[in-house]
Amino acid sequence: MSEEFYRIKRLPPYVIAEVNAMRHAARRAGRDVIDLGMGNPDQPPPQHVIDKLCEVAAKPAAHGYSQSKGIPGLRRAQANYYARRFGVELDPEREVVVTMGSKEGLSSMATAITAPGDVVLAPSPTYPIHTFGFIIAGATIRAVPTTPDERYWKALDNAMAFTVPRPTVLVVNYPSNPTAEVVDVAFYQRLVDWARENQVWVLSDLAYSELYFDGKPTPSILQARGAKDVAVEFTSMSKTYSMAGWRMGFAVGNQELIAALTRVKSYLDYGAFTPIQAAACAALNGPQDVVEQNRERYRRRRDVMVESFTRAGWPIPAPAASMFAWAPLPPGFEGMGSLEFSKRLLEHAGVAVAAGVGYGEEGEGFVRIAMVENEQRIRQAARSVKRFLAEHTPAAQPVAFARRAQA
């Protein structure tokens, strides 16, 4: 009875959880930890959304089982969002399903459409569910680059030419988590044309659709001609409306894929709590000023982070979108590895970041920094980073030790 279960054997230890455990231990010990690791919004949802939750929860009839595919009003609200934001028309009955966050939606889709031995193309580095959702379902993953340059297209063509069996699914995620890279509609059009030619399903994770900067809105893959023939897109209310713990998301697009996801979900759940779905309707249908306010808040934090960390001696590339910066390890730490660096930064500076290796082999040498603390705390983190770099950069250690000896 000691042999590990089949699917558990296919799952390595969750690297991100290792630093999280250290962070929790430090806080239990009374240390002040500036947490830039997990992408957990620090602001509450809009008040009218909370009010709607309370209003509906007060109704005795609201506490029974809900609809697995989502209440009709919420599916209509999501279709209306796509119409006004992207100019994409959706049938709420056949092209929209409500999910318990995009993560659950992606994992349930993997269960719905994957047979053991199928090959799935997924970017590296990428958010773990993009690969492990399919690994749990029995698939084999072939990695393709995350950066959308010509290497990307060459990798796709090579995968189709040299992989047996031929890949059946491609996962894309722009704005990327963790790299924050973005694409335009022309990229999606080329991708849709490629997928139709090669008979590959495309799953697009658009969780950060509204967190874009510099006046450049992120597009949807469904804006490309013919996208509904091959693509489904996942979105989330977690970041747009600061509703992360509410677990509310959507899958929209190709009717065959939506039907498969809906059928699997009907066996797995009874849908999100009805008051939460009603509140999500209020968010999508109500005033949208909170979306712009959130976007502006993250832009200010981005600018403060890039400026203060760079002055501290750690140059941070400015992300074009999302709530993350994807940063190479500071000068002098390149050979340490992202996990070890993250541990030392937490231990000696009280700053938590996410090790890049947790997002795939190609993430080694980077860390993901979440902009989930206010500007004052980000500047405080930069001061701690500056001290850490001065005392713990490998090449600078003899100097640091000499200073201590003199003291």
Side-chain angles (χ1 to χ4, degrees), residues 212-234:
Y212 57 83
F213 310 125
D214 308 318
K216 297 178 181 178
T218 55
S220 161
I221 194 173
L222 297 183
Q223 292 176 266
R225 294 182 308 277
K228 286 187 184 180
D229 293 342
V230 293
V232 156
E233 190 157 69
F234 296 86

Side-chain angles (χ1 to χ4, degrees), residues 274-305:
T274 298
I276 291 179
Q277 295 195 55
C281 290
L284 287 167
N285 294 333
Q288 298 300 300
D289 53 340
V290 65
V291 179
E292 176 59 36
Q293 290 167 9
N294 277 343
R295 186 182 303 125
E296 177 61 18
R297 179 180 297 110
Y298 287 115
R299 184 203 61 79
R300 291 195 305 268
R301 292 176 179 182
R302 176 199 68 169
D303 293 348
V304 167
M305 176 177 291

Side-chain angles (χ1 to χ4, degrees), residues 33-47:
V33 175
I34 302 175
D35 187 3
L36 307 178
M38 189 173 183
N40 200 9
D42 62 323
Q43 299 295 310
Q47 187 59 48

Side-chain angles (χ1 to χ4, degrees), residues 14 19 94 131 139 159 249 254 258 321 346 359:
Y14 199 46
V19 177
R94 296 183 294 174
T131 54
N254 177 268
I258 293 297
L346 177 58
Y359 301 93

Side-chain angles (χ1 to χ4, degrees), residues 101-115:
S102 57
K103 188 173 182 179
E104 179 274 325
L106 282 156
S107 62
S108 292
M109 180 67 82
T111 299
I113 67 174
T114 305

Side-chain angles (χ1 to χ4, degrees), residues 126-199:
T126 195
Y127 190 58
I129 196 63
H130 299 152
T131 54
F132 288 105
F134 286 95
I135 288 173
I136 292 170
T140 298
I141 301 297
R142 175 160 179 158
V144 296
T146 299
T147 301
D149 56 16
E150 285 305 313
R151 286 193 319 120
Y152 180 84
W153 301 107
K154 185 176 181 180
L156 291 187
D157 289 338
N158 285 345
M160 301 311 297
F162 301 114
T163 307
V164 179
R166 282 167 61 89
T168 56
V169 177
L170 168 66
V171 180
V172 295
N173 171 216
Y174 299 105
S176 167
N177 179 7
T179 71
E181 292 169 296
V182 296
V183 296
D184 55 18
V185 176
F187 172 89
Y188 281 139
Q189 188 62 63
R190 184 175 177 181
L191 189 65
V192 167
D193 293 343
W194 176 89
R196 295 174 73 186
E197 178 183 349
N198 288 280
Q199 297 184 312

Side-chain angles (χ1 to χ4, degrees), residues 13 22 38 48 62 68 79 116 137 187-188 204 248 258 285 289 309-310 314 326 329 348 359 391:
M22 289 182 62
M38 189 173 183
H48 71 274
S68 177
F187 172 89
Y188 281 139
S204 169
M248 183 54 54
I258 293 297
N285 294 333
D289 53 340
F309 274 56
T310 299
W314 186 2
W326 185 239
L329 298 186
H348 298 292
Y359 301 93
E391 297 179 4

